[in-house]
Amino acid sequence: MIRRAEPNDARAIYEILSKTDDPWTMGVVESELKSDSSKAFVYVDETSAVGGFVDIKILYDEADLMHIAVSEELRGQGIGAKLLAKVIEVAEGKAIALEVRKSNFKAISLYEKYDFKKESVRKNYYHGEDAAIMWRRK
């Protein structure tokens, strides 16, 4: 099930993000969960354990996908796709932008399935690795 992230989810979100290539500090996680412009959601299993996280900022007529991550043991089960679909629903037709490591072929493939297109490159964005900037404009 996907539901709105709550402040008491911060520790579980932090644990998931700490194992990614682009971790956030606990302070950033807590700040995002409190931000008025941020809309954060979690995937929870039948025991209510958090297994995935997505955060989007909606600003005027655009949205920026800030982070999407699934716990290592749950990857490959379609949870990332469900979280991405939730972001698209919440954006309500607004254009959505994101940055992704150029070497993250699995993520790029997922984004392309949801009509994101590579539009440019941000050099050395990820500590020396380029990021593809992708947009979904619908």
Side-chain angles (χ1 to χ4, degrees), residues 18 27 33 36 53 81 95-96 109 118 125:
S18 70
L33 293 180
D36 290 337
F53 168 72
I96 305 171
S109 177
K118 293 180 197 173
Y125 187 71

Side-chain angles (χ1 to χ4, degrees), residues 13-68:
I13 293 167
Y14 169 77
E15 292 298 324
I16 292 169
L17 296 180
S18 70
K19 295 175 178 75
T20 67
D21 292 336
D22 188 25
W24 282 356
T25 65
M26 185 64 168
V28 171
V29 171
E30 291 170 334
S31 176
E32 285 298 305
L33 293 180
K34 293 175 187 171
S35 170
D36 290 337
S37 64
S38 179
K39 301 217 183 296
F41 297 89
V42 290
Y43 167 84
V44 294
D45 65 16
E46 60 280 347
T47 68
S48 297
V50 174
F53 168 72
V54 67
D55 182 32
I56 186 171
K57 285 198 183 289
I58 298 177
L59 304 165
Y60 308 106
D61 61 344
E62 293 181 353
D64 192 6
L65 179 62
M66 303 300 293
H67 223 306
I68 185 169

